[in-house]
Amino acid sequence: MEVTRVLVADDELSIREILSDFLTLEGFQVHAVEDGALALDELRRHGYHVVLTDMKMPRMGGIELLEEIHKLGLPVLTIIMTGFGTVETAISAIRKGAYDYILKPFKIDEVIRVIQRGLDHKRLEQENLALREALSIYRISEAMAQSLQLDRILELIVDATIEEIQADMVTLLLRDPAAETFSERIRKFAGEGERRDGRVNLDELLAQFHADQPLIVHGPRAARFLASAVAAGPDDKRLVSFCSVPLRVRDRVVGALNAYSYTPGRTFTEGQRKMLAVLASRAAVAIENARLYEDLVRRNDDLAQANLSLEENFRTTLIGFAQALEEADRYTRGHSERVSFYASLTAEGLGFNEAEQAKVVQAGLMHDIGKIGIRYEKLNKPGKLTPEELAMFRTHPAKGKRILEPMPFMWELIPGAYCHHEHYDGAGYPAGTMGDNIPLTGRIVSVADTYDAMTSDRAYRRALPHASAIAELERCAGSQFDPRIVEAFCRKIEEHRRAKMAANEPVIR
């Protein structure tokens, strides 16, 4: 787990030394400075979780430091120390953003209790914010799912963007499928709002999207992404912050969602950009559904074909949601996509036709859908899992099955989600199934999942080399894995690696 970083600001050397020594013994990482100005410089250069500051210091006191921290928007817990405590000073400190204040002379146990209480409060705030964001995305996704009218969906997306990230203006661009050009489909202002240009430089925007780089810029740095100057005009007309996220369907950019802030001091955060990206992923599928529906109506296609297409888009929505949750954990980021690729190689090696391979690909993408609700921070640790933590982790195959079972068109993906931790010799979980009684898709995903887990970094170990991972698969063939699956995977992965190396492309070493 990340070590809590504490910055101490006090003009008394003895207090700085006492706090540094005792807080270090408690497991905190401590840095101490003698005044608020130095503390502010340190905060600009490095990230801290807690600032413990004296109220009266040379050059810059604690209240002034609180004001500067607020101006910079730093997400740091601040605690004031003072030897001149009154009700007025306490109220002033709290109003300026302090979490609490401590009277001098203090007991070190009291300081530690206040810090721990503040950190717990901050953690609960973050969890509540994450829950609120998840509920907002769910609510908006539900509303979009209930409509197949494109204009209504676009309105929902733009209204949600204004509400959730407090944007002053939002524009939404869509690609015309026939002309292959982008055009602005909707523009909206918060409140009364006044008309501003805000036209984008499409070439720069798409280049950023294709490079898979986050696009969040402030002030004049946004100039290259807009078609008009951003610094012209009086201060209250200037662009303060600009954030843009792509709308993607099957790795193809079909639009862009752009948020603008003209409010002084209100800059978009990386957290807001990530939330917008998740919203955009839901929106892209809803837009595709609406377009598909409109096209089906225009062409008078039969109802069965419409249902089939909508089912495929719903499947895509679930996969996108699972991958968005996976992005929250740096150790599993991209895991399902890699498992899907390795599973497709194996299916090809077993002689599957294209339709059968496609089912295996989908199963690989969805195999960890049951991890929704699993708390990764309890599992991503260097040491061995406790029995309770292990039991929590082992619930995800059964949860995945329960998520997929209500949807008949997802039944073919259940073996990948439910059986990828079963062992060929019957020693796996959740059902202890053995041999060929384990569905073939589950046996394929099991090998692909294990290879990717071994060749990826984890909190408890570094990634294994390719050769070591292959040796382990071959060693466990017949016990943990179906030998036929291991043989097909090893043969196809070597063919894939040789082709990559011949093309001078990177491979797992």
Side-chain angles (χ1 to χ4, degrees):
M1 293 181 64
E2 185 180 10
V3 175
T4 300
R5 291 172 51 81
V6 179
L7 178 62
V8 175
D10 198 297
D11 57 339
E12 294 185 49
L13 176 61
S14 60
I15 293 205
R16 295 199 303 273
E17 289 178 343
I18 289 171
L19 288 171
S20 295
D21 289 345
F22 279 94
L23 292 178
T24 300
L25 287 174
E26 289 294 321
F28 298 112
Q29 185 175 330
V30 185
H31 183 76
V33 294
E34 56 264 31
D35 62 50
L38 290 173
L40 190 60
D41 289 342
E42 182 67 19
L43 287 167
R44 286 192 177 109
R45 289 195 302 268
H46 305 291
Y48 285 86
H49 301 95
V50 181
V51 172
L52 197 59
T53 177
D54 190 20
M55 180 170 283
K56 296 185 179 295
M57 294 180 290
R59 295 206 295 168
M60 180 185 290
I63 296 296
E64 293 88 347
L65 177 58
L66 285 175
E67 291 173 343
E68 292 299 321
I69 288 172
H70 177 71
K71 287 179 186 177
L72 292 172
L74 300 176
V76 63
L77 185 79
T78 51
I79 299 168
I80 287 282
M81 301 180 294
T82 178
F84 308 92
T86 64
V87 172
E88 288 75 17
T89 58
I91 292 174
S92 176
I94 299 300
R95 282 180 175 172
K96 297 295 183 182
Y99 167 72
D100 206 343
Y101 75 101
I102 297 171
L103 292 176
K104 293 180 179 179
F106 53 75
K107 294 181 179 179
I108 196 66
D109 288 346
E110 176 192 2
V111 175
I112 292 168
R113 277 197 301 273
V114 171
I115 291 175
Q116 292 289 10
R117 190 170 65 243
L119 291 172
D120 289 341
H121 176 77
K122 200 80 172 176
R123 177 182 54 79
L124 287 172
E125 279 186 342
Q126 291 169 347
E127 289 180 357
N128 288 337
L129 178 61
L131 179 59
R132 186 186 68 81
E133 290 177 350
L135 290 173
S136 296
I137 290 170
Y138 176 77
R139 173 178 54 82
I140 296 161
S141 298
E142 283 288 293
M144 288 191 292
Q146 292 171 12
S147 176
L148 287 173
Q149 296 180 351
L150 183 58
D151 290 341
R152 172 58 180 157
I153 290 170
L154 300 184
E155 285 282 345
L156 285 168
I157 297 165
V158 170
D159 287 345
T161 303
I162 289 175
E163 179 183 350
E164 296 300 330
I165 71 168
Q166 292 83 53
D168 293 314
M169 182 174 81
V170 175
T171 63
L172 193 149
L173 279 62
L174 281 186
R175 184 195 292 268
D176 184 337
E180 288 296 309
T181 57
F182 285 84
S183 62
E184 186 178 292
R185 287 292 302 266
I186 190 168
R187 169 185 294 242
K188 198 160 189 177
F189 303 89
E192 295 300 319
E194 63 179 87
R195 188 169 184 82
R196 295 181 174 92
D197 188 355
R199 289 172 300 150
V200 298
N201 182 334
L202 193 58
D203 291 338
E204 289 286 351
L205 211 63
L206 291 177
Q208 192 85 354
F209 292 162
H210 290 312
D212 203 24
Q213 295 294 320
L215 206 173
I216 177 169
V217 287
H218 312 303
R221 288 189 300 157
R224 72 185 181 98
F225 297 105
L226 300 182
S228 57
V230 297
D235 289 347
D236 62 346
K237 307 294 184 187
R238 295 181 185 178
L239 181 63
V240 173
S241 191
F242 175 68
C243 178
S244 181
V245 295
L247 278 65
R248 284 193 172 97
V249 175
R250 292 184 288 276
D251 292 328
R252 185 167 179 262
V253 176
V254 299
L257 183 58
N258 310 308
Y260 308 72
S261 171
Y262 292 91
T263 303
R266 185 192 292 167
T267 56
F268 299 127
T269 66
E270 177 61 15
Q272 289 174 317
R273 185 201 67 80
K274 288 179 178 177
M275 184 181 182
L276 206 58
V278 175
L279 175 61
S281 70
R282 307 282 74 73
V285 174
I287 290 169
E288 187 76 356
N289 280 345
R291 280 181 163 171
L292 175 64
Y293 179 75
E294 290 177 352
D295 188 52
L296 289 174
V297 170
R298 282 195 302 269
R299 296 186 184 191
N300 261 340
D301 279 349
D302 62 284
L303 183 59
Q305 180 61 39
N307 284 337
L308 180 62
S309 299
L310 290 172
E311 285 173 4
E312 176 59 30
N313 276 281
F314 188 70
R315 188 198 310 268
T316 303
T317 302
L318 272 182
I319 291 171
F321 188 59
Q323 290 173 336
L325 289 172
E326 188 178 90
E327 284 292 308
D329 178 39
R330 66 190 180 97
Y331 292 109
T332 61
R333 195 169 297 140
H335 169 67
S336 292
E337 290 184 354
R338 294 191 298 271
V339 169
S340 176
F341 173 70
Y342 297 141
S344 70
L345 282 181
T346 309
E348 183 182 344
L350 293 170
F352 283 25
N353 61 37
E354 287 187 9
E356 291 169 334
Q357 287 182 41
K359 291 179 182 178
V360 171
V361 167
Q362 295 284 310
L365 289 171
M366 294 293 288
H367 79 284
D368 272 343
I369 187 69
K371 286 186 178 178
I372 293 174
I374 298 291
R375 296 188 62 180
Y376 285 104
E377 71 272 14
K378 286 187 171 293
L379 305 180
N380 289 336
K381 63 179 187 179
K384 187 177 179 181
L385 296 182
T386 66
E388 292 78 13
E389 291 165 348
L390 186 60
M392 177 176 63
F393 174 79
R394 288 190 168 187
T395 62
H396 78 270
K399 284 182 178 178
K401 182 182 180 184
R402 289 198 297 272
I403 289 171
L404 299 175
E405 272 182 335
M407 297 164 282
F409 60 93
M410 302 291 276
W411 286 352
E412 64 193 22
L413 308 185
I414 289 176
Y418 187 63
C419 301
H420 68 281
H421 283 293
E422 297 289 2
H423 290 188
Y424 199 64
D425 61 4
Y429 65 88
T433 311
M434 66 185 301
D436 291 344
N437 290 325
I438 303 170
L440 184 55
T441 302
R443 284 177 271 156
I444 291 172
V445 173
S446 175
V447 171
D449 180 52
T450 304
Y451 175 79
D452 185 66
M454 288 192 292
T455 55
S456 302
D457 285 332
R458 290 291 187 265
Y460 48 88
R461 58 149 177 79
R462 297 295 300 274
L464 296 179
H466 164 75
S468 299
I470 291 296
E472 184 65 12
L473 289 178
E474 292 175 339
R475 185 183 71 82
C476 295
S479 55
Q480 184 172 348
F481 310 112
D482 182 341
R484 188 165 64 104
I485 305 297
V486 172
E487 185 281 324
F489 172 77
C490 292
R491 172 165 42 85
K492 293 303 293 185
I493 195 70
E494 293 304 336
E495 290 178 10
H496 170 72
R497 286 168 59 81
R498 284 195 295 271
K500 283 279 193 181
M501 287 187 284
N504 289 322
E505 295 178 7
V507 295
I508 296 171
R509 296 296 180 185

